[in-house]
Structure formats: structure tokens, C-alpha cells
């Protein structure tokens, strides 16, 4: 049953915790630099909290797409819950001032890709199960 829980709820919750000021104050908590180091080329690589949120979202997207290839009864519930997570992203993006940010928009698009990929994989695997003679 826990396999049906969409993992993209984690970046959604983390973003909302950031809006509440958990990760630091200021106007834009997603611009906080987590670390940086000098590359051999002379350039400086730095990662912000927003970059980390997008990276977490992409890792969870990979796991969700891997989960979508299974054909169990829980996969239908997983697709339904993933759709609800995307709807929550969309509603918050449209109605909450703090969600009008490029990091949140990118996470919302990742959630959309999860929904589209899940349904696409399910339809593709279902069409292989049907044999018409």
C-alpha cells in the first residue's frame, strides 16, 4: 500500500515548509547558497536550495517512472494519487503568492511529467495485454 504513495509529495511538502521559513528567512529562501567550490577550469560551481529542490524532484521522478512500469492493483491508485499531487501543485501555483516561483513551477512540471508518463506507460502496457485476432 505504501508503494502507491507518490514520492513527489516530498518536494511539495519541503517547498511549503520553506515558505513557512523553515530553511531561512528573507524574500527568497530558494536563492540561499548551500555550497560552492572551485572547479579545475577556474569556474565556481555553486548549488542553491532551489537547485537542490529541483534535483530532489528529478530523483523522485525517476523512481516514480520506475514504479509506473509495474502492473498491479496499486498502480491505479498510484496514478490517481499522482494526479492529485499535480492538481495540488497547480492549485497552489495559481492561488498562493509564495508559489509563484520558478523552482515551484519546475517541480509542478515534474509532477505533470510523472502523471503523463504513468498514464502513457499504463496505456502502452495495457495495449500489449489485449490480443485481437
Amino acid at each position: 500500500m505504501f508503494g502507491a504513495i507518490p514520492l513527489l509529495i516530498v518536494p511539495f511538502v519541503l517547498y511549503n515548509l520553506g515558505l513557512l521559513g523553515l530553511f531561512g528567512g528573507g524574500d527568497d529562501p530558494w536563492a540561499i547558497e548551500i555550497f560552492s567550490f572551485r572547479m579545475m577550469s577556474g569556474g565556481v560551481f555553486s548549488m542553491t536550495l532551489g537547485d537542490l529542490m529541483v534535483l530532489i524532484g528529478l530523483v523522485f521522478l525517476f523512481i516514480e517512472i520506475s514504479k509506473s512500469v509495474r502492473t498491479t492493483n496499486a498502480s491505479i491508485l498510484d496514478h490517481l494519487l499522482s494526479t492529485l499531487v499535480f492538481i495540488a501543485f497547480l492549485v497552489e501555483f495559481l492561488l498562493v503568492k509564495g508559489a509563484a516561483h520558478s523552482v515551484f513551477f519546475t517541480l509542478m512540471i515534474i509532477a505533470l511529467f510523472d502523471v503523463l508518463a504513468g498514464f502513457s506507460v499504463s496505456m502502452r502496457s495495457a495495449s500489449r495485454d489485449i490480443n485481437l485476432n
Side-chain angles (χ1 to χ4, degrees):
M1 187 66 175
F2 288 114
I5 297 173
L7 296 176
L8 288 174
I9 194 81
V10 174
F12 182 76
V13 170
L14 287 175
Y15 189 91
N16 285 310
L17 290 174
L19 286 181
L20 295 174
L22 184 70
F23 303 130
D27 292 335
D28 190 7
W30 310 112
I32 297 172
E33 187 175 295
I34 298 172
F35 65 86
S36 66
F37 56 90
R38 184 165 300 281
M39 305 294 287
M40 290 187 339
S41 65
V44 177
F45 174 78
S46 63
M47 180 166 284
T48 64
L49 190 57
D51 297 333
L52 181 63
M53 287 294 293
V54 171
L55 185 61
I56 290 170
L58 287 172
V59 169
F60 285 140
L61 176 64
F62 172 75
I63 295 169
E64 284 293 318
I65 290 176
S66 298
K67 283 178 18 180
S68 71
V69 298
R70 64 186 174 169
T71 53
T72 64
N73 292 339
S75 64
I76 295 170
L77 181 61
D78 184 35
H79 296 320
L80 176 68
L81 293 175
S82 293
T83 303
L84 292 176
V85 168
F86 169 69
I87 290 170
F89 267 108
L90 182 62
V91 167
E92 186 169 339
F93 180 70
L94 294 173
L95 300 179
V96 177
K97 183 178 180 181
H101 196 280
S102 62
V103 172
F104 192 82
F105 179 78
T106 304
L107 293 173
M108 182 181 68
I109 296 301
I110 289 171
L112 174 64
F113 285 166
D114 175 36
V115 170
L116 295 176
F119 284 118
S120 298
V121 168
S122 294
M123 288 190 311
R124 183 76 172 154
S125 64
S127 67
R128 291 181 186 204
D129 291 342
I130 298 174
N131 291 325
L132 300 174
N133 291 330

